[in-house]
Amino acid sequence: MRDADRRTIIAGLGAGLAVAASTACAAPRGRKIGYAIVGLGRYAELIMSKFAECDQSRLVALVSGTPEKLTRFGEKYGIPASHRYSYADFDRIRDNPDVDVVYVILPNALHAEYTVRAAKAGKHVMCEKPMAVSVAECRTMIAACRAAGRKLMIGYRSRFEPYNQLAIDLAKKGFVGPTRIITADHGFNAQPNQWRLDRKWSGGGSLMDIGIYSLNATRYLTGEDPVEVSAIESTDRSDPRFATVEDRISFLLRFPSGIEATCVSSYSSNHNMYRVTGTQGWIELEPATAYEGQAMRIRRDGRTEAQSVPVPKGQHAGQLDHFAGCILNGTDPLVPGEEGLADMRVIEAIYRSAREGRRITLG
């Protein structure tokens, strides 16, 4: 393929995806969907700051067990005292017509409880990943939202990030030939004294936290669910950080099409990348799923080139507005509760494989 043709194809795909990202589930200008944020930790701070970039979403309420946070963030974002809730009086949110969506940003073990309570209060739900700490909890959450006639979306922000969207499209179209192998490595050096290092709250270690990015990437890059899992865990139990959770876990996934994915999840090494290898080359993102700064390289026809795409809106704002548009238009979100359930089914199989030292077949 001539260089000019290659650049034209990729540029066209990138521009098209940028437009698609900015218009997905778009609704007519007018009413904005009101979000209540439940849990005011560091990630919630980031999310609250992103409403300024949104076209269809606004921050209208806060929920926390810390009065100081309710006051501080309430004043910062202009949230009246009447729209600030404690966990104890959370259920009063049903009486607040300004709240359309409850965004659950709590420790993993609390996701199911607050999703169910929000649905019973008549609110749509955005829930952070991992969706819950078990397949059974995921199913309970889906059932609760369905029974209430409310939408449920999981916070897979990378699906609204233009470089990831381009990688998905290039892989789907076979730009480097049919996909044969995927590698996906995610990890960071976890600092002590965090809820994520306590299984009671997290449900697991690095796999439940950073490893889910490796897993979910293999699923959106293939468009398939794995049929077989093999995993190995490596954890230094003398390290006080890992008294109840795992550090490193490596896992191999086999997909129906024959694609194999080799993945790493780690709490003691720093990496964030994936590579899609086809019969004619590869597509690589590094960093791949960070909050910002994604970079893409493509190897094809014996040449490796960096690629860039337009980024019309940040992935966090894109995620918020996508769900808002779905609510206003009555359409289904790109990443519904079933997506979180699919990941949790594989996560349970990975843990089982590592524990039992054998391959696990998924139905």
Side-chain angles (χ1 to χ4, degrees):
M1 179 180 290
R2 295 181 305 169
D3 290 346
D5 293 337
R6 184 209 312 265
R7 287 192 293 270
T8 298
I9 290 172
I10 295 177
L13 285 169
L17 287 168
V19 171
S22 64
T23 60
C25 280
R29 299 280 180 171
R31 186 174 90 85
K32 289 188 175 183
I33 291 298
Y35 279 79
I37 302 295
V38 183
L40 302 182
R42 277 187 292 180
Y43 189 64
E45 288 189 55
L46 175 65
I47 292 295
M48 288 187 285
S49 72
K50 300 303 180 180
F51 281 96
E53 303 173 18
C54 290
D55 299 314
Q56 298 177 201
S57 311
R58 63 189 182 116
L59 178 62
V60 299
L62 303 173
V63 183
S64 176
T66 307
E68 182 275 330
K69 287 185 177 180
L70 288 172
T71 299
R72 174 159 47 98
F73 292 118
E75 292 177 352
K76 180 175 181 178
Y77 292 105
I79 308 301
S82 61
H83 288 42
R84 304 174 196 171
Y85 303 87
S86 69
Y87 296 132
D89 67 5
F90 167 77
D91 299 304
R92 289 196 305 108
I93 210 164
R94 72 170 65 248
D95 301 319
N96 190 337
D98 292 334
V99 176
D100 300 291
V101 179
V102 168
Y103 191 165
V104 180
I105 314 180
L106 292 165
N108 306 337
L110 297 174
H111 288 184
E113 175 188 346
Y114 279 86
T115 294
V116 171
R117 289 171 69 179
K120 288 182 176 179
K123 308 303 181 182
H124 302 284
V125 182
M126 174 91 78
C127 181
E128 261 312 307
K129 61 193 176 304
M131 180 177 174
V133 298
S134 70
V135 165
E137 284 193 349
C138 292
R139 288 175 173 154
T140 296
M141 296 159 71
I142 292 169
C145 291
R146 185 174 295 142
R150 301 293 88 183
K151 297 182 185 298
L152 172 60
M153 176 171 157
I154 311 304
Y156 289 107
R157 56 180 171 77
S158 292
R159 298 300 301 274
F160 305 94
E161 195 286 311
Y163 282 88
N164 280 269
Q165 291 175 324
L166 178 57
I168 293 168
D169 207 47
L170 291 174
K172 179 180 178 181
K173 289 181 168 61
F175 189 73
V176 293
T179 300
R180 291 290 178 261
I181 296 170
I182 296 174
T183 55
D185 299 344
H186 285 79
F188 64 94
N189 189 32
Q191 298 305 301
N193 304 315
Q194 302 183 61
W195 65 260
R196 69 187 69 237
L197 297 176
D198 185 344
R199 182 176 293 275
K200 177 180 69 174
W201 297 112
S202 63
S206 70
L207 180 60
M208 292 286 284
D209 182 9
I210 192 69
I212 199 169
Y213 288 95
S214 292
L215 167 59
N216 195 247
T218 67
R219 292 184 53 249
Y220 61 66
L221 290 166
T222 61
E224 302 177 3
D225 288 319
V227 294
E228 189 175 88
V229 173
S230 298
I232 301 172
E233 180 194 335
S234 178
T235 302
D236 178 4
R237 293 299 176 184
S238 68
D239 188 326
R241 294 177 298 171
F242 308 129
T244 65
V245 300
E246 83 278 355
D247 172 14
R248 286 175 292 163
I249 192 160
S250 300
F251 52 99
L252 175 67
L253 307 175
R254 184 169 62 83
F255 291 86
S257 63
I259 296 171
E260 290 188 351
T262 303
C263 305
V264 173
S265 173
S266 173
Y267 265 164
S268 60
S269 53
N270 200 328
H271 35 124
N272 185 311
M273 64 81 64
Y274 63 67
R275 177 181 285 188
V276 180
T277 303
T279 57
Q280 300 172 32
W282 46 258
I283 303 161
E284 180 183 87
L285 262 66
E286 186 176 13
T289 60
Y291 293 159
E292 59 186 0
Q294 276 72 7
M296 175 182 280
R297 295 192 307 153
I298 297 178
R299 175 78 174 176
R300 177 171 162 157
D301 300 330
R303 297 185 60 179
T304 303
E305 296 179 347
Q307 303 293 339
S308 62
V309 297
V311 182
K313 180 185 292 187
Q315 58 190 298
H316 299 93
Q319 172 181 278
L320 294 166
D321 273 351
H322 171 83
F323 197 34
C326 290
I327 292 166
L328 291 167
N329 289 325
T331 51
D332 295 328
L334 176 65
V335 280
E338 287 77 8
E339 182 73 5
L341 169 61
D343 269 355
M344 187 51 60
R345 289 182 65 247
V346 182
I347 286 172
E348 287 191 353
I350 291 170
Y351 278 134
R352 183 181 174 191
S353 176
R355 183 173 62 252
E356 298 179 3
R358 66 183 181 90
R359 289 181 294 178
I360 303 296
T361 299
L362 291 162

